[in-house]
Amino acid sequence: MRPKVTNVVIDCTDPELVAAFWGALLGMSVTGRDEDWIDLEPLGPGGPLLSFQQVPEPKRIKNRIHLDMDVPDIHVAGERARELGATPHGEPMGRGPFQVWLDPEGNEFCFVTAREGDGS
């Protein structure tokens, strides 16, 4: 038996704030809501839901898992993310290039520009 990933869950103290940020950034709508839980649309056809779970403690350390998003231009994507409440976490780097950003509660994510011919 092979498990299926049904949700990618982001812990947060304010699910409304964080879900609104991610929904606007990715152009995704809310599909479910509970007292301490919000679901956005699936991450692609047949993919897992992007979900936000309320937790009592604020984020304190680096995420052990994060989302990488392929974009045509990390600078343009970064400016849009900044308008929505994200902050950059360092400068662009690598041959891709890529840049780490923080959502409104400090959860890391990356904008990545795939190099031609690398298959990503």
Side-chain angles (χ1 to χ4, degrees):
M1 183 175 109
R2 183 175 170 183
K4 179 182 179 188
V5 176
T6 59
N7 299 69
V8 173
V9 182
I10 297 176
D11 288 352
C12 49
T13 59
D14 187 344
E16 292 290 339
L17 172 70
V18 181
F21 167 80
W22 283 97
L25 183 69
L26 299 173
M28 296 167 54
S29 299
V30 171
T31 60
R33 177 179 264 114
D34 203 344
E35 183 178 323
D36 57 358
W37 185 277
I38 297 174
D39 290 324
L40 295 183
E41 300 172 42
L43 292 166
L49 300 176
L50 185 57
S51 303
F52 305 88
Q53 172 178 261
Q54 186 174 26
V55 296
E57 68 279 349
K59 181 181 172 292
R60 290 194 174 91
I61 59 173
K62 183 180 182 298
N63 295 7
R64 296 297 299 253
I65 187 169
H66 66 269
L67 300 179
D68 280 356
M69 292 167 279
D70 184 31
V71 294
D73 184 317
I74 64 170
H75 303 290
V76 172
E79 284 310 308
R80 171 85 171 115
R82 186 188 312 269
E83 291 169 5
L84 295 170
T87 55
H89 187 64
E91 296 297 318
M93 60 184 91
R95 293 182 289 153
F98 73 94
Q99 186 171 16
V100 179
W101 283 79
L102 304 175
D103 77 9
E105 285 201 2
N107 297 298
E108 293 92 356
F109 64 94
C110 293
F111 287 128
V112 178
T113 300
R115 293 175 287 156
E116 288 186 33
D118 75 353
S120 9

